[in-house]
Amino acid sequence: MRLLDLIFYLLKCSSKVTIKELAKTFNVSTKTIQRDLDKLSVLGIPIIIYRGKDGGVEIDKNYIIAKQVLKQSDYHALITSLYIGEHLSESIHEASLIDKFRLMDPNKCSDIINHLQKHLIIDLPYPNFDLESELCQIINQALDNQVFIKLKINHEMIEVLPISYVLKPEGLCLYCYTGEYLLIQLAHICEANLSSKICTDIIIDYNDNKEKIKFI
């Protein structure tokens, strides 16, 4: 992800940037930045490095990543996916990915977005979900460590093993296990805390278990 962010950052800069400045911006060492620049060069990104007292780094201003990597249909599909994603996920919206692509090819990106805004209206009955929220961070820790969490739902505490998120028409839900399989709307969860309990049962994936899930 840092490599892509580095490309966007260099494209956005109006003048060359020193390796030290890049290291400070991305909170890594100068050696790491140098390795990243080498990787980008190997991938065909036209990195220009100026040596000496007034040296620095920049990307050839005539370079447009989308034209090098994506076909027209690929590019349109990508922008459409980001447009839809920004209406679903708060983290995608805050990442401003469309604005970053607009930096690289303003006319093409704007044409696609204007067309989508006119012909594809997204009006969902639930707010954007945020996988970086405090609740989701706790759930994510439990998912990563395969441990149970204690949830407070409507003044009742239950202990569940999170298995996966599921995006339903009702909103973002948590598919989980507590002796039986549950699907819980995140909007109904008032509180969440990690538990030290682990699961030794064989877990069934959501897609193989849809008919046996209790919806909360």
Side-chain angles (χ1 to χ4, degrees):
M1 187 56 145
R2 187 178 63 245
L3 291 180
L4 188 57
D5 287 337
L6 182 56
I7 294 173
F8 287 132
Y9 184 83
L10 290 172
L11 284 169
K12 186 169 61 175
C13 290
S14 56
S15 60
K16 55 183 178 290
V17 187
T18 67
I19 289 180
K20 285 185 178 180
E21 289 172 332
L22 291 173
K24 183 177 180 181
T25 298
F26 291 96
N27 195 30
V28 295
S29 69
T30 56
K31 289 184 178 180
T32 296
I33 288 295
Q34 185 62 64
R35 286 194 294 269
D36 287 347
L37 294 172
D38 291 341
K39 290 176 184 176
L40 292 177
S41 294
V42 170
L43 291 172
I45 310 299
I47 301 292
I48 303 174
I49 299 178
Y50 300 90
R51 307 292 181 183
K53 182 180 178 181
D54 297 320
V57 179
E58 67 177 358
I59 290 181
D60 185 345
K61 297 305 180 185
N62 295 318
Y63 175 72
I64 299 177
I65 185 173
K67 289 183 178 178
Q68 300 292 330
V69 179
L70 304 174
K71 298 182 295 185
Q72 173 67 23
S73 58
D74 295 335
Y75 187 81
H76 194 288
L78 176 60
I79 298 300
T80 301
S81 298
L82 291 175
Y83 173 78
I84 295 171
E86 284 192 351
H87 287 78
L88 297 176
S89 168
E90 191 64 29
S91 57
I92 294 177
H93 176 74
E94 291 179 355
S96 301
L97 293 173
I98 288 178
D99 288 338
K100 293 177 179 178
F101 276 96
R102 188 179 276 118
L103 283 171
M104 297 181 295
D105 198 342
N107 293 332
K108 183 192 291 185
C109 186
S110 294
D111 286 346
I112 295 173
I113 292 300
N114 291 338
H115 178 82
L116 289 170
Q117 289 174 339
K118 183 178 180 180
H119 298 287
L120 179 58
I121 307 301
I122 299 175
D123 184 15
L124 297 172
Y126 53 84
N128 292 0
F129 62 82
D130 183 7
L131 291 179
E132 301 300 323
S133 68
E134 184 177 346
L135 170 61
C136 286
Q137 287 183 28
I138 295 172
I139 294 173
N140 293 342
Q141 289 182 55
L143 286 169
D144 291 340
N145 295 296
Q146 298 182 326
V147 297
F148 280 70
I149 52 175
K150 297 177 181 178
L151 303 178
K152 184 177 182 181
I153 304 171
N154 299 328
H155 307 292
E156 179 183 352
M157 297 294 297
I158 62 173
E159 195 170 29
V160 305
L161 177 74
I163 303 171
S164 62
Y165 293 106
V166 180
L167 186 57
K168 300 279 287 183
E170 296 82 2
L172 190 64
C173 301
L174 179 66
Y175 174 54
C176 53
Y177 177 75
T178 177
E180 62 179 336
Y181 290 92
L182 306 176
L183 194 62
I184 304 173
Q185 287 184 255
L186 262 62
H188 292 170
I189 300 175
C190 305
E191 183 182 324
N193 294 286
L194 288 172
S195 170
S196 58
K197 181 180 176 181
I198 61 174
C199 181
T200 56
D201 295 340
I202 297 174
I203 298 301
I204 305 174
D205 290 339
Y206 174 80
N207 287 324
D208 298 326
N209 198 34
K210 291 182 181 181
E211 303 303 322
K212 300 179 182 179
I213 300 173
K214 179 180 177 181
F215 188 77
I216 296 179

mmCIF file of all heavy atoms in Angstrom, residues 54 62 103 112 181:
data_model
loop_
_atom_site.group_PDB
_atom_site.id
_atom_site.type_symbol
_atom_site.label_atom_id
_atom_site.label_comp_id
_atom_site.label_asym_id
_atom_site.label_seq_id
_atom_site.Cartn_x
_atom_site.Cartn_y
_atom_site.Cartn_z
ATOM 1 N N ASP A 54 20.967 20.368 -4.820
ATOM 2 C CA ASP A 54 19.558 20.689 -5.074
ATOM 3 C C ASP A 54 18.798 19.476 -5.629
ATOM 4 O O ASP A 54 17.825 19.620 -6.373
ATOM 5 C CB ASP A 54 19.461 21.848 -6.070
ATOM 6 C CG ASP A 54 20.075 23.127 -5.523
ATOM 7 O OD1 ASP A 54 19.884 23.392 -4.324
ATOM 8 O OD2 ASP A 54 20.748 23.833 -6.288
ATOM 9 N N ASN A 62 4.463 13.528 -17.259
ATOM 10 C CA ASN A 62 3.660 13.019 -18.372
ATOM 11 C C ASN A 62 3.147 11.604 -18.123
ATOM 12 O O ASN A 62 2.402 11.053 -18.925
ATOM 13 C CB ASN A 62 4.482 13.025 -19.667
ATOM 14 C CG ASN A 62 4.834 14.430 -20.094
ATOM 15 O OD1 ASN A 62 4.002 15.328 -20.014
ATOM 16 N ND2 ASN A 62 6.068 14.630 -20.529
ATOM 17 N N LEU A 103 -6.211 12.959 -9.794
ATOM 18 C CA LEU A 103 -4.933 13.663 -9.946
ATOM 19 C C LEU A 103 -4.169 13.166 -11.165
ATOM 20 O O LEU A 103 -3.472 13.935 -11.835
ATOM 21 C CB LEU A 103 -4.057 13.458 -8.701
ATOM 22 C CG LEU A 103 -4.403 14.273 -7.441
ATOM 23 C CD1 LEU A 103 -3.570 13.776 -6.275
ATOM 24 C CD2 LEU A 103 -4.161 15.749 -7.684
ATOM 25 N N ILE A 112 -16.224 9.895 -15.926
ATOM 26 C CA ILE A 112 -16.852 8.686 -15.388
ATOM 27 C C ILE A 112 -17.692 9.012 -14.154
ATOM 28 O O ILE A 112 -18.832 8.563 -14.021
ATOM 29 C CB ILE A 112 -15.784 7.627 -15.050
ATOM 30 C CG1 ILE A 112 -15.078 7.154 -16.319
ATOM 31 C CG2 ILE A 112 -16.417 6.432 -14.324
ATOM 32 C CD1 ILE A 112 -13.900 6.248 -16.063
ATOM 33 N N TYR A 181 -25.265 -20.752 15.304
ATOM 34 C CA TYR A 181 -24.748 -19.709 14.416
ATOM 35 C C TYR A 181 -25.712 -18.524 14.389
ATOM 36 O O TYR A 181 -26.926 -18.696 14.206
ATOM 37 C CB TYR A 181 -24.534 -20.264 13.006
ATOM 38 C CG TYR A 181 -23.375 -21.229 12.945
ATOM 39 C CD1 TYR A 181 -23.575 -22.591 13.122
ATOM 40 C CD2 TYR A 181 -22.081 -20.768 12.733
ATOM 41 C CE1 TYR A 181 -22.513 -23.476 13.080
ATOM 42 C CE2 TYR A 181 -21.010 -21.656 12.685
ATOM 43 C CZ TYR A 181 -21.229 -22.994 12.870
ATOM 44 O OH TYR A 181 -20.176 -23.874 12.840
#
